[in-house]
Amino acid sequence: MRKITLALFLFVLAIAARSQVVEPVTWSFSQNKVSETEYDLLLTAKIDEGWHLYATELPEGGPIQTTFYFEGLENAELSGEISADKEAIDKFDPSFQLDVKYYEKEVTFKQCVKLTGTSGTVNGYVEFMSCNDETCTPPMDQEFSFKLDGGNAAAATTFQADTDSDDAGGQKRNYWSIFFIAFLGGLAALLTPCVFPMIPMTVSFFTKQSKTQAAGIRNGIWYGLSIIIIYVILGTVVTAVFGAESLNNLSTNPWFNIFFALLLFVFAFSFMGAFEIVLPSSWVNAVDRKADKGGLIGIFFMAFALALVSFSCTGPIVGALIVEAARSGGMAPVVGMLGFSSALAIPFALFAAFPGWLNSLPKSGGWLNSVKVVLGFLEFAFAFKFLSIADMVLDLRILEREEYLAIWIAIFMGLALYLWGKIKLPHDSPMTHLPVSRFVLGTMVFAFVIYMIPGLWGAPVKMISGFPPPVDYAESPQGVGKSQVQGVATSSVNVDPGKHIGPHGIPLYEDYDKALSESIKTGKPLLIDFTGKGCTNCRKMEDNVWVDPEVKKMFLEDYVVVSLFVDLREKLPESEQYISETTGKKVRTVGNKWTDFQISRFHRNTQPYYVILDQNETELVEGYGYNSDPEEFISWLKTGLEMNRNK
């Protein structure tokens, strides 16, 4: 009886352990006969809530895309490209600095084939990966087989596997954040010399138009709404002409990123006073004549006149906002123009309704031109973001992390000197003394410059995370001159042939057997990092946890660390390929090997995942998954060290 109870207990433990292997994607395969010689092969993926499956086309340097391999075709040939039954969600991934596409819930891929005999077969497999907002699965593959024998549908097969994703939810981007950024852009535009002086003119216009206070309030509200309508129409036209998804696709194209950068350079130089962007005077005069007619139509054209007259100042801001909103696709340009126009419209509507408030406004002066110049510096800096994306997509490595930071340091140093009055630009008014406001703002910008400088030597500079290229897209992982590794002297880092320089300059083993030998030799516990080149959440752990000084110190001094990449596509020699006893799947690549190792030994298949072993390969403490709190990770590492000392 005791033996039966023990066996049952062990069986329950085995089931519980196996349940740690997540399977968020289920595949089913079927076929439709189109004609006597044509068939549609349907490959359907059902995706669990909160997970997503990557699309079939992704830029280089990102996650692993879904790929279909049709290897065994007998009396059949492929016709055309494989296609999906719906548009993929397109979203910017800050960890990879790329736009990635993925599917949620369910998607069916279709491949057309032509039969070249009386019957035929199509064999192959699909390779895929998925993520949620905390973890990713390794690339998995599922074999399929179709028999083309008169159009009878082959028996559908199903398989559950893991796929890689980055964020759940499926929003193109947080529209509220776009609205807020655009709203700030509208407030900045309000303080430019093309817009601010228009406020007294507006008050004068509405003083003549409004006979009573009620009429003034009504006209002011209509004036504000007219401004919003005009700019929202602009955003709608941009979205309609280019298409919601086309805007995003363009923004991922390196050549259009270069075009966007050049556009921002033009806007920046215009703000700095090199030249002025103006619309044809005939347009402005025509709208002015319409505004003189009065009434609601006249008020609308008054708002239109404001948009045209102020274009030399608002145009660069509007252009930059539309370019940035294009990165999100969907209705982002419309939302952006709504935010921008709201910030612009509210003050004008209020002053139109309550002209007496005009007395509280500061007088126009040279400070308005200074606002334009500051905006010019900012647009000049942001232009390099688009150049950086193009550089990374093309893998030119011209604008790596160090160069990018050096350029930003120079730009913002120039801005600080301008605010302190050390640099003069065209249209600047004479300055007999330095205003306190400019001194304070210049000092803050200078402090920002000092903050960025350590980034040249490998500091994370989290305040501007997402703007510079990632740390691995740099001249050296150790920083400029290789004099320091993110706060760890290079003299203490021994990089032997079995290691490679990992994130934040931490040397890591890349071969499990060599790492185990080193663990046995030194008596240090072995830390396994199950990771992936295309694992977004692994990058998040590295950027938020590995960068902690105490974590790095423990990695270097207390542990032997090996990183096993589950998505390496390097083929194993034929003699080393095998069928997994755990999954029943063929292990073809190095990544498959480490995936099978993780599943069979630790009953997990998600990344990131960390395991601590002693010299006998016994697990010292329960494995550690995604958790971006450095203190939690440090506590886990200390527990592993304590268990290793007490064994």
Side-chain angles (χ1 to χ4, degrees):
M1 184 64 181
R2 289 182 179 177
K3 290 182 178 180
I4 295 175
T5 303
L6 179 60
L8 182 60
F9 176 70
L10 293 176
F11 175 75
V12 171
L13 283 181
I15 294 295
R18 183 69 179 87
S19 67
Q20 301 297 318
V21 178
V22 298
E23 300 178 339
V25 178
T26 302
W27 286 94
S28 64
F29 308 105
S30 60
Q31 64 190 56
N32 288 333
K33 183 177 182 180
V34 179
S35 68
E36 290 299 321
T37 59
E38 294 180 316
Y39 291 80
D40 286 340
L41 308 184
L42 304 177
L43 309 96
T44 301
K46 291 187 176 180
I47 308 160
D48 287 353
E49 188 70 27
W51 290 79
H52 55 258
L53 171 72
Y54 283 110
T56 54
E57 293 185 3
L58 294 177
E60 289 292 330
I64 300 299
Q65 64 189 27
T66 299
T67 306
F68 295 90
Y69 297 92
F70 297 91
E71 296 183 328
L73 282 79
E74 182 179 346
N75 294 329
E77 60 183 25
L78 302 181
S79 177
E81 301 292 331
I82 196 163
S83 60
D85 64 345
K86 64 180 183 180
E87 289 288 331
I89 296 169
D90 204 333
K91 186 168 183 177
F92 182 73
D93 189 324
S95 297
F96 292 106
Q97 293 293 301
L98 294 171
D99 287 274
V100 296
K101 295 183 179 182
Y102 56 82
Y103 299 98
E104 293 183 335
K105 297 183 179 179
E106 183 174 332
V107 59
T108 296
F109 299 93
K110 181 175 72 174
Q111 174 64 62
C112 301
V113 296
K114 288 185 178 180
L115 194 62
T116 58
T118 56
S119 63
T121 59
V122 177
N123 298 320
Y125 65 96
V126 53
E127 184 182 47
F128 58 95
M129 68 183 293
S130 60
C131 289
N132 59 19
D133 59 355
E134 290 187 353
T135 190
C136 300
T137 63
M140 305 291 287
D141 59 78
Q142 168 59 25
E143 296 181 351
F144 53 77
S145 179
F146 295 94
K147 293 182 179 180
L148 312 179
D149 53 358
N152 295 325
T157 60
T158 60
F159 174 73
Q160 290 186 326
D162 310 317
T163 52
D164 182 14
S165 144
D166 180 6
D167 297 295
Q171 291 292 331
K172 304 286 180 174
R173 184 183 276 185
N174 188 330
Y175 284 163
W176 279 112
S177 66
I178 294 174
F179 179 90
F180 179 70
I181 293 171
F183 190 87
L184 293 178
L187 294 178
L190 188 67
L191 299 177
T192 58
C194 313
V195 180
F196 193 82
M198 292 288 290
I199 295 177
M201 295 173 58
T202 301
V203 172
S204 175
F205 176 84
F206 282 101
T207 301
K208 298 175 182 177
Q209 288 282 326
S210 307
K211 303 299 183 182
T212 64
Q213 185 176 5
I217 294 174
R218 183 178 66 251
N219 291 340
I221 292 174
W222 173 241
Y223 183 64
L225 288 175
S226 297
I227 295 174
I228 293 174
I229 290 170
I230 290 166
Y231 281 99
V232 169
I233 289 175
L234 173 62
T236 304
V237 169
V238 170
T239 303
V241 169
F242 292 99
E245 296 305 321
S246 297
L247 278 170
N248 191 276
N249 294 337
L250 287 178
S251 70
T252 64
N253 184 293
W255 308 113
F256 274 93
N257 271 283
I258 293 173
F259 170 76
F260 291 155
L262 295 176
L263 192 64
L264 288 181
F265 282 136
V266 171
F267 291 160
F269 294 146
S270 173
F271 269 164
M272 290 179 179
F275 50 82
E276 191 172 357
I277 303 174
V278 294
L279 293 174
S281 58
S282 58
W283 294 12
V284 179
N285 294 334
V287 172
D288 276 341
R289 287 193 294 269
K290 294 286 186 181
D292 290 338
K293 293 183 178 180
L296 296 181
I297 298 298
I299 293 174
F300 178 83
F301 279 100
M302 180 69 177
F304 199 5
L306 169 68
L308 295 180
V309 171
S310 62
F311 180 79
S312 61
C313 291
T314 60
I317 300 175
V318 169
L321 288 173
I322 288 182
V323 166
E324 183 59 26
R327 302 192 59 82
S328 303
M331 297 297 292
V334 178
V335 175
M337 289 302 94
L338 178 62
F340 177 84
S341 58
S342 296
L344 206 61
I346 291 173
F348 272 96
L350 290 174
F351 282 111
F354 306 101
W357 292 3
L358 182 62
N359 297 328
S360 62
L361 281 180
K363 295 184 181 295
S364 300
W367 66 274
L368 292 176
N369 185 71
S370 299
V371 172
K372 275 185 64 177
V373 173
V374 170
L375 292 175
F377 272 100
L378 295 178
E379 294 210 355
F380 191 55
F382 291 153
F384 285 95
K385 171 61 181 173
F386 293 96
L387 286 181
S388 172
I389 293 173
D391 181 72
M392 286 190 290
V393 172
L394 297 173
D395 197 29
L396 299 176
R397 291 193 171 269
I398 297 174
L399 193 59
E400 294 179 303
R401 186 176 178 88
E402 292 90 347
E403 288 83 0
Y404 188 101
L405 287 172
I407 290 171
W408 265 42
I409 288 169
I411 290 173
F412 284 96
M413 188 67 236
L415 176 56
L417 292 174
Y418 173 78
L419 290 169
W420 284 337
K422 303 300 181 182
I423 295 176
K424 296 290 185 181
L425 292 176
H427 311 303
D428 279 344
S429 301
M431 188 168 55
T432 56
H433 65 280
L434 180 64
V436 174
S437 57
R438 290 186 61 148
F439 172 77
V440 172
L441 185 58
T443 303
M444 292 173 63
V445 173
F446 183 65
F448 178 59
V449 170
I450 295 174
Y451 169 78
M452 288 190 291
I453 290 175
L456 297 172
W457 284 268
V461 286
K462 293 183 179 180
M463 186 184 296
I464 56 173
S465 177
F467 283 97
V471 286
D472 59 345
Y473 195 81
E475 291 183 352
S476 169
Q478 292 97 331
V480 174
K482 297 186 178 181
S483 59
Q484 189 175 354
V485 181
Q486 299 264 351
V488 181
T490 53
S491 60
S492 66
V493 179
N494 180 26
V495 183
D496 61 37
K499 294 181 179 181
H500 71 280
I501 294 297
H504 310 293
I506 300 173
L508 306 168
Y509 278 94
E510 50 195 14
D511 182 270
Y512 176 77
D513 292 331
K514 289 182 179 179
L516 180 61
S517 297
E518 180 69 12
S519 175
I520 294 172
K521 177 182 175 182
T522 61
K524 296 178 181 179
L526 175 63
L527 174 63
I528 304 176
D529 163 36
F530 287 103
T531 184
K533 299 287 186 181
C535 173
T536 299
N537 301 299
C538 301
R539 304 293 85 77
K540 292 179 182 177
M541 281 291 292
E542 292 159 4
D543 291 342
N544 292 287
V545 177
W546 289 33
V547 73
D548 185 277
E550 188 169 359
V551 172
K552 288 191 291 186
K553 184 174 183 295
M554 296 176 76
F555 274 16
L556 290 168
E557 299 178 2
D558 301 323
Y559 279 94
V560 175
V561 186
V562 57
S563 287
L564 304 180
F565 290 87
V566 300
D567 56 0
L568 291 179
R569 293 186 172 185
E570 179 185 347
K571 289 283 186 181
L572 290 169
E574 286 290 336
S575 59
E576 296 182 20
Q577 296 184 17
Y578 62 95
I579 302 298
S580 169
E581 295 181 1
T582 305
T583 65
K585 299 175 67 63
K586 187 172 183 178
V587 175
R588 298 181 175 89
T589 66
V590 175
N592 294 158
K593 174 184 175 181
W594 298 132
T595 298
D596 186 56
F597 176 58
Q598 183 185 6
I599 293 174
S600 59
R601 286 287 304 274
F602 307 109
H603 311 291
R604 293 272 186 156
N605 68 336
T606 56
Q607 294 79 46
Y609 191 66
Y610 304 94
V611 178
I612 299 176
L613 304 180
D614 64 11
Q615 291 71 47
N616 298 316
E617 299 183 85
T618 301
E619 197 167 357
L620 292 172
V621 63
E622 185 179 353
Y624 192 94
Y626 177 81
N627 185 337
S628 59
D629 183 358
E631 294 302 322
E632 291 285 341
F633 192 69
I634 291 169
S635 176
W636 180 75
L637 291 176
K638 289 180 177 179
T639 301
L641 290 175
E642 186 68 23
M643 295 294 292
N644 188 60
R645 284 193 290 265
N646 296 336
K647 64 181 178 62

